[in-house]
Amino acid sequence: MSYLRRVALVLGLALVVVLGLSPVPGGASGPPGHWVGTWAASASGTVPKLDTGYADRTIRNVVHTSVGGTRVRVGLTNVLGTAPVVMGAVTVAVAVRAGTPDAVPGTVRPLTFGGSPSISIPAGGEVRSDPVSLAVPEDGDLLVSVFTPLPSGPVTYHQVANQTSFLSTAGDHAAEESGTAFTEAITFWPYVSSVDVQGRADGSVVVLGDSITDGNNSTRDAGHRWPDYLADRLIARPGPTRLGVLNAGISSNRLLTNTWNPNALSRLDRDVLAETGARSVVVLLGINDIGGQPQHRDPAPIIAALGQVAAQVKASGLRVVGGTLTPFGGSSNYTEELEGVRLAVNDFVRHGGAFDEVADFDAALRDPADPHRLRAEYDSGDHLHPKDAGYAAMAAAVRLDRLGGRPARDWVGTWQTAMAQRTTEQGLPNHSIRNVVHTSVGGRAARVRLSNVYGTAPVLMGRVTLAVAAAPDAPDAVAGTMREVTFGGAPSITVPVGAEVLSDPVSLAVPADRDLLVTVFTPEPSGPVTVHPRAYQTSFLTADGDHAADEQGAAFTQQSTAWHYLTAVEVHAPSVRGAVVTFGDSITDGDKSTVNANLRWPDVLADRLAAQPGPTRLSVLNSGISGNRILDSSTGIGGPNAFARLSRDMLTPTGARTVIFLEGINDIGNLAHPDPAVLNAALTQIAAQAHARGLRIIGATITPFKGWRSYNEERESVRQAVNDFIRTSGVFDAVIDFDAVVRDPADPQQIRAEYDSGDHLHPSNAGYRAMGEAVDLRVL
């Protein structure tokens, strides 16, 4: 956009404010329109040598929009932090221009979180502000100012911003229009992760990449990264701009290994699939796997990882565009052998069939006289990163008419578990693990997800199979149902640290309300094994080699009460409209229910849905973790706090449509002095994030716990206050009053005797049945 057009937009915004023409404030209903992302940055690490955060400082982040709108909300992140961080005041404003901390007069808007001007973000979590009315310009600059009053842990940031932002002198300067207090320039973005707008755009393009997507060596403060040029091309098309552009590039990022930032597969849910309004994804990754240390001289693992990215993007209903790797001849890491790897990867991107479309960045930038090198007029000088003209040429290589969404694929999760911890330091070498899982809906084909999210080393899945179980408590398969599972056509796959993988579909008549066997053979030592520790289901292991394809279970002599590596089974089921995700703690996990009987309350709910006339319309997915908390992560079985696992376990499961949220008793029962206001703010934030993803969310009241070891009157009063909030606040789309269902009428602080498993916290089978039967199916 021209400088004059930008000035005209800013002046127009000022007039709108002066004349009082801005829409009603943020809490009120706004104008019609879609919510889409206009800007994003991925967490890449923590600010060096800043272990206690920016106490009593204000950070003014300068960010560049792609699309405009009439309302705005901001995402803040603590995903790589190790302690909660308090945001004492947060504002958003239109910047006078890039590279300065001054706001256009009249545009500063205080932001709230569930109506509160401050919020504490748990370690590993993210939050999203309430909407506020602001005429946000397309292709313009915003100021997102954050005041952090207290010491905290390390500061999550995006390291290479190619944009000047600012730190203030001491104190809260978030609401100041003048930038005079912001005396220190920085070249990274602390805490801010996203900006969404409501307007005429109907979706966003997410660009997943490394330093070339991050815009290294582009002109600072100019918005000359190639995703910025792509946004400019979309803006220049006739009519209203329909797609925003979100930059999920991280300098040095890789597909296969972590460096000082998480590998691409481990951040896919958070940085790509959960983004507001995402419709398509452009992927440009692999050059750091080839040229960085350790160098990968075999293209096969890189190709497999790219195939995984494409498969998981498609599974979320998004269109995926593969970008060819650009030349690096003349750079410090170049060799002819590594160039051969790049060419092989590019051949896969162009012809492998994994992507819906190809953006041939290699062809756009290479020197015709020496195709292994960048053209001189596109080379920033390091022979790896383009300069501005090169980034513009890359954006020109993307076909704008191929960036729309994909049609529904009729896939839905039928079973799920939330991974909670790691165990067994050297993995399970030469083991076959036969996980037994129970379906909610059936289908005519299936695929499985395997997880290494808590691993510390890559893990090789040497062989994976899927079969129908002959019995609920035995390792034998129904004859003729054993299927070999592949990944991009290969019988094995290595799962990077922190990542999950999705198999190819296999043809299998998957029955509803039945048990499946998912068997994984791990031939080599690895790091710790990612598990769901309390399955209330018997699974089986053998240390005697590869028995994954055995129909008979005789080799599986060891029993386990955990699910190893397996996190989901999905089915092709056109008649199923979506999935209900039940998110919670041990009461959702089914603690104290009968092992192998599938009597958890989500199982009862699934049975009721299946019993309705006609084809089953909704599956049920269980994201409960025993011991889980909303605010604090657990070093034991409880796993990461609810905020830290929202993207993976609630927002992005295949087919997710509705969430039932039941959590908080572990916060109440374990914190020394739990504060209902803090818990209510957290519940409000979780509901907001579900709504931003387009999910319906139902709040469930917390069940009684009188007689449990941590019960006291103070904690009971907190439970009552939180339940009152759930029932009356209007935060949720509907409420299920589990408290009223299972409490003792003669003593409402405790569970009815016939519903009590005996520990006065967890229901019995009868209690779980009462809970499952209490769900009004119409609210789903």
Side-chain angles (χ1 to χ4, degrees):
M1 181 182 290
S2 71
Y3 173 76
L4 289 175
R5 186 178 175 192
R6 292 189 190 185
V7 170
L9 274 172
V10 170
L11 290 175
L13 289 169
L15 285 172
V16 165
V17 173
V18 170
L19 294 174
L21 300 177
S22 58
V24 292
S29 297
H34 300 277
W35 279 102
V36 304
T38 185
W39 174 89
S42 300
S44 64
T46 57
V47 178
K49 301 178 182 179
L50 199 67
D51 292 341
T52 57
Y54 291 111
D56 197 34
R57 301 283 295 277
T58 305
I59 307 152
R60 180 153 283 183
N61 293 284
V62 182
V63 305
H64 191 75
T65 65
S66 52
V67 293
T70 55
R71 295 210 295 170
V72 63
R73 62 192 182 201
V74 170
L76 301 175
T77 183
N78 189 28
V79 296
L80 301 178
T82 58
V85 58
V86 174
M87 306 298 181
V90 185
T91 64
V92 63
V94 179
V96 168
R97 63 182 181 276
T100 65
D102 299 302
V104 171
T107 67
V108 175
R109 299 286 188 275
L111 295 178
T112 57
F113 301 84
S116 172
S118 64
I119 191 166
S120 177
I121 311 178
E126 294 185 316
V127 297
R128 192 183 302 269
S129 76
D130 303 327
V132 64
S133 294
L134 178 67
V136 176
E138 64 182 16
D139 195 23
D141 292 298
L142 297 179
L143 307 175
V144 178
S145 302
V146 177
F147 170 57
T148 51
L150 303 174
S152 68
V155 176
T156 297
Y157 79 147
H158 181 90
Q159 180 183 15
V160 182
N162 292 296
Q163 174 74 54
T164 306
S165 292
F166 302 91
L167 292 173
S168 78
T169 54
D172 178 5
H173 302 279
E176 295 176 7
E177 289 180 346
S178 169
T180 54
F182 294 91
T183 56
E184 182 180 341
I186 57 176
T187 56
F188 47 87
W189 288 306
Y191 292 129
V192 66
S193 60
S194 66
V195 178
D196 299 340
V197 293
Q198 188 179 34
R200 293 187 293 179
D202 54 17
S204 294
V205 182
V206 185
V207 184
L208 178 66
D210 49 39
S211 58
I212 294 176
T213 296
D214 216 2
N216 276 32
N217 297 350
S218 65
T219 301
R220 184 175 294 171
D221 299 329
H224 284 171
R225 312 163 192 86
W226 77 259
D228 299 322
Y229 284 115
L230 177 61
D232 290 343
R233 289 186 64 212
L234 289 163
I235 290 168
R237 302 178 89 189
T241 307
R242 308 308 305 183
L243 292 171
V245 178
L246 304 178
N247 193 328
I250 296 179
S251 294
S252 86
N253 203 225
R254 303 182 187 183
L255 289 160
L256 301 176
T257 56
N258 296 345
T259 53
W260 50 85
N261 53 67
N263 69 74
L265 276 171
S266 70
R267 64 187 184 95
L268 191 62
D269 286 337
R270 181 181 67 243
D271 292 348
V272 177
L273 303 183
E275 285 289 4
T276 302
R279 290 183 61 187
S280 57
V281 179
V282 184
V283 180
L284 176 58
L285 281 163
I287 198 66
N288 291 318
D289 298 271
I290 295 170
Q293 297 296 331
Q295 294 175 337
H296 286 82
R297 295 175 171 83
D298 180 0
I302 299 171
I303 288 170
L306 284 171
Q308 266 304 306
V309 172
Q312 293 187 43
V313 170
K314 289 179 180 180
S316 289
L318 308 181
R319 190 170 183 83
V320 61
V321 180
T324 54
L325 303 181
T326 52
F328 72 124
S331 71
S332 58
N333 292 328
Y334 179 85
T335 67
E336 289 187 5
E337 181 184 14
L338 296 178
E339 173 67 359
V341 177
R342 183 183 75 91
L343 294 176
V345 171
N346 280 352
D347 184 68
F348 167 78
V349 172
R350 292 185 182 106
H351 307 299
F355 298 97
D356 297 306
E357 182 69 21
V358 174
D360 203 337
F361 298 134
D362 173 42
L365 297 189
R366 68 192 179 206
D367 186 341
D370 186 356
H372 310 305
R373 301 176 70 103
L374 295 170
R375 291 173 59 169
E377 61 267 37
Y378 293 159
D379 191 343
S380 67
D382 66 6
H383 311 303
L384 173 65
H385 299 97
K387 61 183 177 183
D388 291 1
Y391 286 128
M394 291 179 67
V398 179
R399 290 190 57 174
L400 303 186
D401 60 343
R402 302 298 178 91
L403 296 178
R406 298 170 53 84
R409 291 291 185 178
D410 298 327
W411 283 87
V412 67
T414 184
W415 173 88
Q416 177 175 297
T417 193
M419 291 314 206
Q421 66 174 170
R422 59 185 182 226
T423 187
T424 313
E425 285 303 317
Q426 292 304 312
L428 293 168
N430 203 40
H431 276 64
S432 294
I433 308 152
R434 182 152 283 183
N435 296 286
V436 182
V437 303
H438 192 74
T439 65
S440 54
V441 297
R444 54 198 185 199
R447 61 193 184 200
V448 302
R449 288 183 186 265
L450 303 176
S451 179
N452 189 29
V453 296
Y454 300 120
T456 58
V459 58
L460 172 63
M461 307 298 182
R463 181 185 287 190
V464 182
T465 62
L466 174 68
V468 179
D473 55 358
D476 303 300
V478 172
T481 66
M482 185 65 66
R483 300 290 188 274
E484 298 268 355
V485 173
T486 59
F487 300 84
S492 63
I493 191 167
T494 297
V495 189
V497 173
E500 294 182 352
V501 295
L502 177 66
S503 79
D504 304 327
V506 295
S507 179
L508 177 66
V510 177
D513 195 24
R514 282 284 301 276
D515 291 309
L516 299 178
L517 307 176
V518 181
T519 310
V520 177
F521 170 56
T522 52
E524 300 174 357
S526 69
V529 178
T530 295
V531 299
H532 181 95
R534 293 192 175 178
Y536 308 102
Q537 171 69 56
T538 304
S539 290
F540 303 90
L541 299 89
T542 175
D544 188 29
D546 181 5
H547 294 275
D550 293 2
E551 283 189 345
Q552 296 298 315
F556 292 90
T557 56
Q558 303 174 42
Q559 294 188 357
S560 172
T561 56
W563 285 308
H564 297 72
Y565 293 125
L566 179 67
T567 189
V569 178
E570 301 169 6
V571 292
H572 186 254
S575 65
V576 180
R577 293 178 179 171
V580 179
V581 180
T582 59
F583 190 104
D585 49 39
S586 58
I587 294 175
T588 297
D589 210 4
D591 202 337
K592 300 299 187 295
S593 65
T594 300
V595 174
N596 300 331
N598 299 302
L599 295 177
R600 313 164 191 88
W601 73 259
D603 299 319
V604 176
L605 175 60
D607 291 343
R608 291 182 60 216
L609 288 164
Q612 288 191 301
T616 304
R617 296 299 188 185
L618 292 170
S619 66
V620 178
L621 305 178
N622 194 325
S623 282
I625 297 178
S626 294
N628 200 228
R629 305 183 194 180
I630 296 175
L631 301 174
D632 298 324
S633 296
S634 168
T635 57
I637 64 168
N641 67 71
F643 280 84
R645 65 187 188 97
L646 279 186
S647 292
R648 181 175 61 249
D649 295 342
M650 189 178 89
L651 302 180
T652 59
T654 298
R657 182 172 177 177
T658 301
V659 177
I660 301 176
F661 189 92
L662 171 60
E663 193 149 342
I665 193 63
N666 290 318
D667 299 83
I668 294 170
N670 288 284
L671 295 173
H673 299 287
D675 184 346
V678 174
L679 286 168
N680 293 343
L683 291 172
T684 302
Q685 183 56 219
I686 289 166
Q689 293 194 44
H691 289 146
R693 177 65 179 161
L695 302 178
R696 184 173 177 81
I697 184 165
I698 299 166
T701 54
I702 301 170
T703 52
F705 73 124
K706 184 178 180 180
W708 177 251
R709 58 179 176 263
S710 64
Y711 178 88
N712 61 37
E713 290 186 2
E714 178 190 0
R715 293 188 169 114
E716 172 63 14
S717 69
V718 174
R719 186 182 73 90
Q720 296 288 355
V722 173
N723 279 350
D724 183 66
F725 174 83
I726 292 168
R727 293 183 182 108
T728 64
S729 66
V731 162
F732 297 100
D733 298 296
V735 173
I736 301 169
D737 202 340
F738 286 146
D739 172 41
V741 169
V742 302
R743 69 191 180 205
D744 186 342
D747 189 354
Q749 288 78 44
Q750 69 179 12
I751 300 176
R752 290 172 59 171
E754 61 267 39
Y755 291 162
D756 190 343
S757 67
D759 67 5
H760 312 302
L761 173 66
H762 300 98
S764 62
N765 290 342
Y768 285 130
R769 176 157 298 281
M771 291 174 67
E773 290 177 346
V775 179
D776 184 346
L777 302 186
R778 295 171 297 178
V779 305
L780 302 181

